[in-house]
Amino acid sequence: MTGRGRRPRTEAGHRRRTLLILVVVWAAHLAAQLGDVAVLAGFTQTLAMPALAAVLWTSTSSPRGPLVRLALGALGLSWLGDSAPRLAPESLSFLVMVAFFLGAQVVYALAFWPYRHRCLLTRPVLATPYLLAAAAIVLVCAPSAGVLLPAIAVYSAAIVMMAVLASGLGRLGTVGGAVFVVSDSLIALDVFGVLTLPAQGFWVMITYLLAQLLLMLAVRGAAAEDRIPRG
C-alpha cells in the first residue's frame, strides 16, 4: 500500500481516537457534576477544551486558515478560563476566569468577523433579543456586583457580540452562540445571588460544552466550505 493510501486511513484513525477521548472526558465530567464528585469534575474540566481542540485539529485539513487557527486560540483561552482560577487566590478566581473567557470571546469574534455580512447584524430586529438579554443580566446582577459591575458589563457586551457574529456561520453557529450566552448567564446569576439552579454545576457545564461543540462544528463546516473553489 502506498503512503498516499495509508494517509487517509491514518487521519481517519486520529479523528476517531480524538472523538472517543472527547466523549469519554465529557461524559465523565458531566457524571461527576451530577454525582458531586469534585476531584473528578475538576480534573476532567481541565481536559475538556484540549479534547475539543484535538477534534477540531484532526477534522480540518492543512493549511488551516485564520478561522480555524483563531477558533483553536479561543479554545486555548477557554481552557485557561477553566484551569487558571484553580491556581489563583480565591478572592481573585472569578476575575481570572472572566479575564480569560473575555479573551476567548474576543478571539471568537475576530474569527467570525469575516462572516459578518451574513450574520444577525444585517437583521437588527433578530439581534435585539441578545442585547436585551445582556442588559437584563447586567441589571439583575448590578445590586450585588459592586466594583465588578464594569467587568460584567464589558463581558456581557463581548459575549453578545460573539454570539451575533457566530450566526454568520449558519444554524450551528447561531445556536452555539446563543447557548454560550445562556451558560454564562447561569454563572452570573449564581455568583451574584440572583438564581442558583438545582445541580447548578451540571447545567452550567452541559450548556458550556454544548455551546463550544456547536461552535466547533460551525467552524469546521465553514472552513470546509471556504476550501471549495468558487466557480
Side-chain angles (χ1 to χ4, degrees):
M1 182 179 291
T2 65
R4 182 176 297 180
R6 285 195 299 270
R7 185 174 178 182
R9 292 190 179 185
T10 301
E11 292 175 348
H14 289 333
R15 286 194 295 269
R16 287 193 295 269
R17 283 191 289 273
T18 56
L19 183 58
L20 177 61
I21 291 170
L22 178 76
V23 170
V24 170
V25 169
W26 286 20
H29 178 73
L30 293 174
Q33 288 286 353
L34 281 176
D36 198 24
V37 185
V39 173
L40 179 59
F43 175 67
T44 50
Q45 185 170 347
T46 64
L47 299 178
M49 290 305 103
L52 185 60
V55 171
L56 177 58
W57 180 266
T58 58
S59 61
T60 52
S61 301
S62 182
R64 293 168 181 84
L67 174 62
V68 174
R69 295 198 301 269
L70 286 169
L72 288 168
L75 291 175
L77 287 165
S78 298
W79 170 70
L80 290 171
D82 288 334
S83 307
R86 303 173 191 280
L87 305 176
E90 186 175 352
S91 60
L92 296 177
S93 61
F94 180 71
L95 275 178
V96 170
M97 180 186 72
V98 169
F100 280 119
F101 276 107
L102 175 60
Q105 305 307 342
V106 170
V107 173
Y108 264 138
L110 291 173
F112 304 151
W113 181 253
Y115 303 86
R116 64 191 179 279
H117 62 281
R118 59 191 194 193
C119 79
L120 294 179
L121 288 175
T122 63
R123 291 166 286 176
V125 173
L126 297 180
T128 299
Y130 291 85
L131 301 176
L132 294 177
I137 293 298
V138 172
L139 287 174
V140 299
C141 292
S144 303
V147 296
L148 293 178
L149 184 58
I152 299 305
V154 170
Y155 186 85
S156 297
I159 193 170
V160 163
M161 178 57 72
M162 180 282 294
V164 170
L165 289 171
S167 64
L169 273 63
R171 186 175 300 174
L172 291 174
T174 301
V175 178
V179 175
F180 217 141
V181 172
V182 171
S183 180
D184 281 358
S185 296
L186 290 176
I187 294 174
L189 294 174
D190 175 51
V191 168
F192 296 109
V194 178
L195 174 67
T196 301
L197 298 176
Q200 170 78 12
F202 173 81
W203 292 112
V204 167
M205 288 308 300
I206 196 170
T207 50
Y208 168 65
L209 295 177
L210 177 61
Q212 294 277 27
L213 176 63
L214 290 172
L215 290 178
M216 186 277 291
L217 293 173
V219 166
R220 187 181 69 174
E225 181 182 323
D226 289 346
R227 295 177 72 91
I228 299 174
R230 305 298 177 183

